[in-house]
Amino acid sequence: MTRVGVLALQGDVREHRAMLEHLDVETVPVRTPADLQGLQGIVFPGGESTAIAHLLKSSGLAEALGELINDDFPVFGTCAGLILLSSEILDGRAQQWSFGALDVAVRRNGYGRQIASFEVPVSVSGIGEYEAVFIRAPRIERVSKEVSVLASLDKDGEHPVLIRQGNLWGCSFHPELTTDSRIHDAFVQSL
Ligand code: GLN
C-alpha cells in the first residue's frame, strides 16, 4: 500500500489526509523527523507559510526534509506548501525561510488577501477541467525552464497555478478542499 506523509505542523492536514485515504493511500501525520520513516512521498498543506516554516525549524524537520528533498524525495506543496518549496518568495515576511527546491518565484497573497479568495475552473494537463479554490493564494511569477506548467490561470495576466519539477509538485490553489481527487491521484500515481 502506498504510504504518504502529510506535514502536520499547521494548516489543512485533515483535508489532505481524507483525500488521500479516499484514494486508498495510507497517510501519516508528520510532526517529527522519525515520522518520515517508510514514506513514499509527503504533502505540504495550505495554511500559514511563516508559521509552518518556524515549526519546521524547531521540530528538526527542516533539516531532515531538506536532505530528503536533495535526494529527490517526492513532495506535493499546496498554497502555503508551495511557498515553502519555492526558491524565491516575494512579499514574504522579513527573512522568510524556504527549502528553495522548486525553481520558481512566488508572491505571497499575490491574488489579494482573504477577501479576494475565489473559485474558478482551470484546465489541467492530463486531467481536464478542474474547479480550483484559491484562498490568499501565492501567485507564481517566474518559473525556470526545468519546471512544467500543468495548469495556469489568466487573471491579471497569465500565471501558472499547478507545476511540476521532477518529483516536486506545487499548486497555488487547494485541491484538498474539493471532492475532486484527480490532482492528488496524479501525484500518487507518480510515486
Ligand atoms: N497566504 C498564506 C501564506 O502566505 C497561504 C494561504 C493558504 O495556504 N491558504 O502562508
Side-chain angles (χ1 to χ4, degrees):
M1 196 179 189
T2 311
R3 209 170 131 98
V4 172
V6 178
L7 185 65
L9 300 173
Q10 191 268 336
D12 51 359
V13 177
R14 189 165 41 92
E15 292 82 352
H16 273 292
R17 292 187 70 193
M19 185 65 97
L20 289 164
E21 279 164 17
H22 169 76
L23 293 168
D24 285 332
V25 171
E26 185 187 346
T27 66
V28 177
V30 173
R31 299 189 182 92
T32 69
D35 298 329
L36 294 167
Q37 287 298 324
L39 301 180
Q40 278 147 274
I42 189 167
V43 171
F44 289 179
E48 186 53 51
S49 56
T50 50
I52 300 174
H54 182 72
L55 294 166
L56 277 165
K57 287 280 188 199
S58 56
S59 62
L61 277 167
E63 205 176 324
L65 275 165
E67 284 172 18
L68 283 177
I69 291 171
N70 269 339
D71 286 342
D72 249 4
F73 188 65
V75 186
F76 180 23
T78 61
C79 205
L82 160 68
I83 297 174
L84 290 166
L85 284 175
S86 300
S87 54
E88 188 181 357
I89 304 172
L90 307 168
D91 292 342
R93 294 267 172 86
Q95 286 162 10
Q96 184 165 349
W97 169 88
S98 69
F99 285 103
L102 261 178
D103 196 5
V104 301
V106 295
R107 187 174 299 282
R108 280 187 77 209
N109 303 314
Y111 291 99
R113 303 196 69 85
Q114 196 78 24
I115 195 91
S117 297
F118 57 97
E119 218 175 300
V120 68
V122 295
S123 171
V124 179
S125 159
I127 287 182
E129 187 161 297
Y130 189 95
E131 194 66 23
V133 178
F134 290 80
I135 304 170
R136 291 185 302 124
R139 194 167 69 191
I140 299 173
E141 303 212 337
R142 174 187 63 76
V143 297
S144 83
K145 58 181 188 324
E146 319 301 327
V147 173
S148 309
V149 175
L150 303 180
S152 53
L153 176 65
D154 191 2
K155 190 177 195 309
D156 307 324
E158 184 93 1
H159 296 280
V161 292
L162 177 64
I163 56 176
R164 181 174 179 183
Q165 181 179 353
N167 284 336
L168 302 177
W169 298 57
C171 189
S172 50
F173 54 92
H174 288 272
E176 74 284 9
L177 297 184
T178 67
T179 53
D180 187 340
S181 56
R182 290 177 296 164
I183 294 179
H184 284 78
D185 193 40
F187 174 65
V188 169
Q189 295 303 325
S190 76
L191 300 176

